[in-house]
Amino acid sequence: MYLIKHAHVFAPEDLGIMDVLLGGNRILKIAPELPVEEAYGVEVIEGKGKALFPGLIDGHVHILGGGGEGGPKTRTPEIVLSDITLGGVTTVVGCLGTDGCTRTMANLLAKARGLEEEGITTYVYTGSYQVPVKTLTGFVMDDIILLDKVVGTGEIALSDHRSSQPTKEEFAKIVADTRVGGILSGKAGLVNIHMGDGKGKLDFLKYILEETQISAANMLPTHINRSRTLMQEGIEYAKDFGGYIDLTTSSDPDFLEPEEVKASTGFGMALKAGVSSDQITFSSDGQGSLPIFSPDGTFCGLGVGKVTSLYREMRDGVLTEKLPLSVALKPVTINPAKLLKLSQKGRIEEGKDADLVLADENSLEIDTVIAMGKIMVCNGQVLIKGTFEAQKNHNR
Ligand code: ZN
């Protein structure tokens, strides 16, 4: 059991200074002053001067690796546990990507299970960029209903040269099957949609909302901040159609494409334009391939997108966009939890999972990360390493 004393709790709403008691993998009690019961083996974590908030949810991570778009040697490696926990992330949704041939659902599911054994919570989307969707059982709906970890379909690519260029009707069928699969299994039934920079933009999503009875909560278009034009279209989609939009965090903020918008900036823009803070989520697109530039801007090769960028953009929401922490946290905690229907996640509340981040209240530098009641990161250092990370030092 852990007792976190005198922390400034953001649930994500501001609860003021509170003590929080954790037992097993749950949050047991939250109160202004809780007694220290050492006899019961309660270990105290001092939270004075620190903000305590829910562990982050990253709804789009290429946990198996992604890329391969410059040939086989550009396939990125699998993610390791500390790539995730060092960024305060305690829940990830894994997905395939452009390559639904050499990367498979069976492999994705196995990787997700492995990460869960190592201590975090994981889910996956069925399918890749491709249509027809490559599934494990043969059908989108069956994957969602029969496989515990599958919460939806994606990332399906639209408006991109790498997309299978589905018709509106083909796309509608995928969203419909995903929705019904979600209803029958009590899951989200969410379609994660990779938006490219083609001219169709969000037309297919608008078509679904105009022509069918499917709800906006079944579709999450991502990479909306890849260009100013798409960002503007995303803002209109959120305002006029009640749609949800996802902003990608992993681009290097010093080397954004001329038209690209940093996620925290995009969040600020959307709020100013009148979009509700409930309609926006962030995800990292972590472990996909990313170009690396030298300080003078010359291309030096390919790197790997970082899950830790999710935290950076949340923090920049506070430090750069001057949003209250309770608002900056929404796209990475409560909003993805609601859309993905993860009822135990995204909030600090009695009975919820003990997924927490303790950070300096001013700098927001991460101090402690707790996943399912276990301390993963302590004093900003990795405490629990992934299976093969732990052995790194012993290898010759
Ligand atoms: Zn994508």
Side-chain angles (χ1 to χ4, degrees), residues 88-362:
V89 172
T90 52
T91 302
V92 295
V93 185
C95 56
L96 297 176
T98 322
D99 180 359
C101 169
T102 75
R103 314 240 189 218
T104 65
M105 278 310 296
N107 205 350
L108 183 68
L109 207 51
K111 177 67 185 179
R113 290 204 175 120
L115 286 169
E116 187 136 329
E117 276 186 36
E118 290 176 338
I120 61 165
T121 305
T122 59
Y123 297 93
V124 300
Y125 286 116
T126 186
S128 58
Y129 272 24
Q130 268 173 276
V131 176
V133 179
K134 277 207 182 173
T135 64
L136 200 63
T137 62
F139 301 98
V140 162
M141 213 187 285
D142 294 16
D143 271 22
I144 298 173
I145 297 171
L146 299 174
L147 305 171
D148 290 350
K149 287 208 175 295
V150 180
V151 289
T153 309
E155 57 175 317
I156 302 295
L158 291 183
S159 203
D160 194 291
H161 63 98
R162 294 161 293 176
S163 160
S164 333
Q165 314 301 345
T167 62
K168 275 183 182 168
E169 291 72 22
E170 283 170 323
F171 178 66
K173 179 89 176 74
I174 292 168
V175 184
D177 287 351
T178 305
R179 175 181 167 83
V180 177
I183 291 171
L184 291 174
S185 59
K187 296 183 198 167
L190 184 66
V191 184
N192 192 274
I193 304 148
H194 161 106
M195 297 306 310
D197 46 19
K199 60 176 188 229
K201 301 199 185 66
L202 296 166
D203 285 357
F204 279 26
L205 288 84
K206 293 179 187 170
Y207 163 80
I208 301 256
L209 296 177
E210 278 170 342
E211 302 297 328
T212 77
Q213 299 73 45
I214 294 169
S215 133
N218 289 106
M219 297 183 286
L220 185 61
T222 187
H223 315 320
I224 291 295
N225 52 325
R226 72 158 63 241
S227 74
R228 287 187 179 274
T229 335
L230 190 58
M231 188 70 222
Q232 204 46 52
E233 168 108 351
I235 288 173
E236 278 157 32
Y237 172 72
K239 282 175 70 175
D240 302 344
F241 291 80
Y244 295 85
I245 52 173
D246 186 68
L247 310 181
T248 301
T249 60
S250 60
S251 299
D252 184 338
D254 293 330
F255 296 101
L256 293 178
E257 297 283 329
E259 275 298 292
E260 210 176 342
V261 183
K262 199 167 153 357
S264 49
T265 313
F267 184 35
M269 279 166 68
L271 294 180
K272 275 191 203 103
V275 176
S276 158
S277 60
D278 295 339
Q279 286 169 276
I280 299 163
T281 60
F282 288 179
S283 63
S284 71
D285 199 10
Q287 213 64 13
S289 62
L290 263 194
I292 311 180
F293 301 96
S294 67
D296 68 357
T298 31
F299 174 75
C300 326
L302 283 174
V304 172
K306 297 266 183 286
V307 166
T308 49
S309 64
L310 192 75
Y311 191 85
R312 180 196 68 216
E313 292 303 311
M314 183 285 290
R315 192 182 58 191
D316 286 355
V318 177
L319 303 181
T320 317
E321 296 298 314
K322 308 294 176 204
L323 299 170
L325 180 56
S326 56
V327 175
L329 282 167
K330 289 177 79 175
V332 292
T333 58
I334 192 164
N335 293 356
K338 275 191 189 156
L339 260 185
L340 290 160
K341 285 210 165 79
L342 308 179
S343 59
Q344 283 301 106
K345 304 293 184 188
R347 281 191 65 74
I348 298 186
E349 194 180 291
E350 291 174 7
K352 301 279 184 210
D353 287 347
D355 290 340
L356 299 157
V357 178
L358 192 65
D360 183 277
E361 208 179 348
N362 299 313

